[in-house]
Amino acid sequence: MGHRRRADLRRVRVRARRHRPARASGDARQGAAVTPAEARKRFRAGLSAPTAGWAPGRTQANLIAVPADWAYEMLLFCQRNPKPCPVLDVTDAGSWTTPLAPGADLRTDLPRYRVWEHGELVEEPTDVVAHWRDDLVAFLIGCSFTFEWSLAAAGVPLRHIEQGRNVSMYVTDRPCRPAGRLRGPMVVSMRPVPPMHLAAAIRESSLLPAVHGSPVHCGDPAGLGITDLDKPDFGDPVDAEADDIPVFWACGVTPQAAVMASRPPFALTHAPGHMFLTDARDEQYRVA
Amino acid sequence: MGHRRRADLRRVRVRARRHRPARASGDARQGAAVTPAEARKRFRAGLSAPTAGWAPGRTQANLIAVPADWAYEMLLFCQRNPKPCPVLDVTDAGSWTTPLAPGADLRTDLPRYRVWEHGELVEEPTDVVAHWRDDLVAFLIGCSFTFEWSLAAAGVPLRHIEQGRNVSMYVTDRPCRPAGRLRGPMVVSMRPVPPMHLAAAIRESSLLPAVHGSPVHCGDPAGLGITDLDKPDFGDPVDAEADDIPVFWACGVTPQAAVMASRPPFALTHAPGHMFLTDARDEQYRVA
């Protein structure tokens, strides 16, 4: 992907932000003791907050819903790009339920959504009941927040949670493999990891391929075409310690970058960092 | 799935066998020293043999090709049943090429195919050039032959390869999660494993989730509704040592069972055990 397209994507994002005033991210620590069902209930009632650190040990998911005539291409895009887009579940057209969270309503139970028309972000509501369509197919895609519990259990400090911030996410210069009309760059999340914890961070995340698995890059952000870690494309900047190594994992915001680049007539997604909390336990996705 | 449907599937298989005389399985050891490209060349020239033990360290794949209007359901069926149906690649409609094996022709380069009409096996040719259609979408699905090299490297004896036979495969009583018009039972492959090697067999296969990953069952075949290990539904019976434990892995023949149960108007598949040899290295699919 050339610089032009990446710049375009950034402009879309910046323009989109004007739709609502900047808001402070919620305190990620507030959800630590909450069950997924309780969290969904709070979000359904209108609470909006990034979900890093919420619902210990439970699998979090990215949401992207597209019209049925784009569903095959989206599923194929995910299959062809399994690191950023590991599919956990796909709904039948029009359905807002998933076996990953019985009783949940995908239209209301996320803390914040994004509504897309022809690749433009037009709204960031806290529910999408009014936007839902009978032909929408919803994809739930693994989220790196899921493996953070494994990292924490292995002693890896999580700077963004310590600092009560959303994780930092960046559009990279690595193109995804296209699928039909869908194309776009890979998006990554970044966590600053102390050298002594790097092995554990790689090992623990590798065992969870359904939630992005091993990192796609470590060290110099230029390796992914990222120029300034302090200016994430999504989420918050996070303060690193002096010797921390930036570690980059493929990110489930990638389908949103594909929406921006490919301009399907309509799409609904979660807002970056504002995930769907499933009842599934991380352990279900551990391969060893 | 009730006994009736399973019996039906068995009848389909038995009836299908009448289309050609029983033939001896090839000697799996003949392909051990061969590259994937050389193997594909031999198969293209007409050689037919099960591919267990062929092309050391290279990824083998199941093939299922369906008309484009069934492709979304097939891809969704695979996503919903990732243990039996881990998708390695999906072609664009009509294409017989794959980035997993540049230069290969999916219509000719497998050792044996199956042609299905309305869920009935109608032919088992060594190429499908005459059967190919412009609207076919081909799915390449991970195969447990791939992890056999890891098992062997860890000291696990592979009885079917020692005995020059195809692996034993069985239709189980476990239903797959349906997707649209596609439904059917899970098929498994079985390897007799000595108790002292069981841990290595589980550990090594677990690290390769793209080729079925960890076993779905160990021990009593009744746990999967299998009544007689000596009568596999596909492949050959394999002789076990006295204290061997039967270990069952989800199998990429599962889409063929779905074809039998769901009766799409047309499908092409590999013949069980007669896989597509890709250039991909097993290591590419190891998660740790």
Side-chain angles (χ1 to χ4, degrees):
Chain A
M1 191 179 66
H3 285 290
R4 172 162 315 184
R5 182 159 309 137
R6 183 156 169 218
D8 284 349
L9 289 174
R10 289 233 165 85
R11 270 203 301 280
V12 167
R13 178 184 60 79
V14 171
R15 203 162 51 231
R17 281 202 173 155
R18 295 202 193 112
H19 285 270
R20 56 176 53 250
R23 60 180 189 283
S25 292
D27 183 341
R29 287 162 294 196
Q30 69 180 302
V34 167
T35 66
E38 172 61 25
R40 294 193 299 264
K41 192 174 156 192
R42 290 194 202 173
F43 299 145
R44 198 180 313 149
L47 177 67
S48 181
T51 53
W54 282 64
R58 301 304 183 110
T59 302
Q60 302 202 16
N62 300 270
L63 171 72
I64 173 132
V66 292
D69 69 329
W70 285 73
Y72 178 68
E73 285 151 297
M74 182 56 72
L75 188 52
L76 191 59
F77 184 82
C78 293
Q79 189 282 323
R80 288 180 174 173
N81 300 283
K83 292 282 280 188
C85 308
V87 180
L88 303 183
D89 193 37
V90 183
T91 65
D92 292 319
S95 169
W96 51 77
T97 66
T98 170
L100 295 179
D105 185 330
L106 292 172
R107 305 168 303 170
T108 57
D109 290 5
L110 281 73
R112 191 169 293 279
Y113 296 82
R114 289 185 152 186
V115 181
W116 302 85
E117 292 179 1
H118 301 286
E120 299 281 335
L121 174 54
V122 296
E123 205 177 333
E124 276 201 300
T126 59
D127 77 70
V128 287
V129 171
H131 305 81
W132 199 261
R133 297 168 22 163
D134 286 346
D135 68 342
L136 283 184
V137 175
F139 296 77
L140 295 173
I141 291 173
C143 170
S144 58
F145 290 172
T146 306
F147 65 57
E148 290 185 339
W149 298 105
S150 296
L151 266 56
V156 181
L158 296 164
R159 305 295 188 210
H160 60 295
I161 294 181
E162 291 170 355
Q163 296 164 25
R165 299 181 192 169
N166 197 348
V167 74
S168 305
M169 292 165 270
Y170 307 85
V171 176
T172 72
D173 63 2
R174 288 200 196 173
C176 289
R177 190 176 157 202
R181 293 167 288 181
L182 284 174
R183 60 185 171 76
M186 183 171 65
V187 176
V188 293
S189 64
M190 186 282 292
R191 290 163 185 78
V193 176
M196 69 173 289
H197 295 293
L198 184 61
I202 292 175
R203 183 186 68 238
E204 293 300 318
S205 58
S206 295
L207 296 177
L208 286 158
V211 292
H212 305 302
S214 57
V216 293
H217 183 65
C218 299
D220 187 355
L224 293 172
I226 298 166
T227 49
D228 188 348
L229 286 181
D230 291 333
K231 293 178 181 159
D233 295 295
F234 312 98
D236 299 322
V238 171
D239 299 328
E241 300 291 313
D243 61 350
D244 282 355
I245 295 171
V247 181
F248 300 89
W249 281 270
C251 177
V253 173
T254 299
Q256 297 189 33
V259 164
M260 293 181 210
S262 314
R263 303 180 162 268
F266 186 72
L268 297 176
T269 70
H270 70 291
H274 297 64
M275 317 307 294
F276 179 61
L277 272 63
T278 77
D279 291 346
R281 291 178 188 279
D282 302 351
E283 287 302 314
Q284 294 173 232
Y285 294 106
R286 271 186 93 89
V287 299
Chain B
M1 191 179 67
H3 286 290
R4 173 162 314 183
R5 182 158 311 136
R6 183 156 169 217
D8 285 349
L9 289 174
R10 289 232 165 84
R11 269 203 300 281
V12 167
R13 178 184 59 79
V14 171
R15 203 162 50 231
R17 279 201 175 156
R18 295 201 193 113
H19 285 269
R20 56 176 54 250
R23 60 178 190 283
S25 291
D27 182 341
R29 287 163 294 195
Q30 69 180 302
V34 167
T35 66
E38 172 61 25
R40 293 194 299 265
K41 192 174 156 192
R42 290 193 202 173
F43 299 145
R44 198 180 313 148
L47 177 67
S48 181
T51 53
W54 282 64
R58 301 304 183 111
T59 301
Q60 301 202 16
N62 300 271
L63 170 71
I64 173 130
V66 292
D69 69 329
W70 285 73
Y72 178 67
E73 285 152 297
M74 182 56 72
L75 188 52
L76 191 59
F77 184 83
C78 293
Q79 190 282 323
R80 288 181 174 173
N81 300 283
K83 292 282 280 187
C85 308
V87 180
L88 303 184
D89 194 37
V90 183
T91 66
D92 292 319
S95 169
W96 51 77
T97 66
T98 169
L100 295 179
D105 185 330
L106 292 172
R107 305 169 303 170
T108 57
D109 290 5
L110 281 73
R112 191 168 293 279
Y113 296 82
R114 289 185 152 187
V115 181
W116 302 85
E117 292 179 1
H118 301 286
E120 300 281 334
L121 175 55
V122 295
E123 205 178 333
E124 275 201 300
T126 59
D127 76 69
V128 287
V129 172
H131 305 82
W132 200 261
R133 296 168 23 163
D134 285 346
D135 67 343
L136 283 185
V137 176
F139 296 77
L140 295 174
I141 291 174
C143 171
S144 58
F145 290 172
T146 307
F147 65 58
E148 290 184 339
W149 298 105
S150 296
L151 267 55
V156 182
L158 296 165
R159 305 295 188 209
H160 61 295
I161 294 181
E162 290 170 357
Q163 296 163 25
R165 298 180 193 170
N166 197 347
V167 74
S168 305
M169 291 165 270
Y170 307 86
V171 176
T172 72
D173 63 1
R174 287 200 196 172
C176 288
R177 190 176 158 202
R181 294 167 288 182
L182 284 173
R183 59 185 171 75
M186 182 171 65
V187 176
V188 293
S189 64
M190 186 281 295
R191 290 164 186 77
V193 176
M196 69 173 289
H197 294 293
L198 184 61
I202 292 175
R203 183 186 68 238
E204 293 300 319
S205 58
S206 295
L207 295 177
L208 286 158
V211 292
H212 305 304
S214 57
V216 293
H217 183 64
C218 299
D220 187 355
L224 293 172
I226 298 166
T227 48
D228 188 348
L229 286 181
D230 291 334
K231 293 179 181 159
D233 295 295
F234 311 99
D236 299 322
V238 170
D239 299 328
E241 300 291 313
D243 60 349
D244 281 355
I245 296 171
V247 181
F248 300 88
W249 280 270
C251 177
V253 173
T254 299
Q256 297 189 33
V259 164
M260 294 181 211
S262 315
R263 303 180 163 268
F266 186 73
L268 298 176
T269 70
H270 70 292
H274 297 64
M275 317 308 294
F276 179 60
L277 273 63
T278 77
D279 291 346
R281 292 179 187 278
D282 302 350
E283 287 302 314
Q284 294 173 232
Y285 294 106
R286 272 186 91 90
V287 299

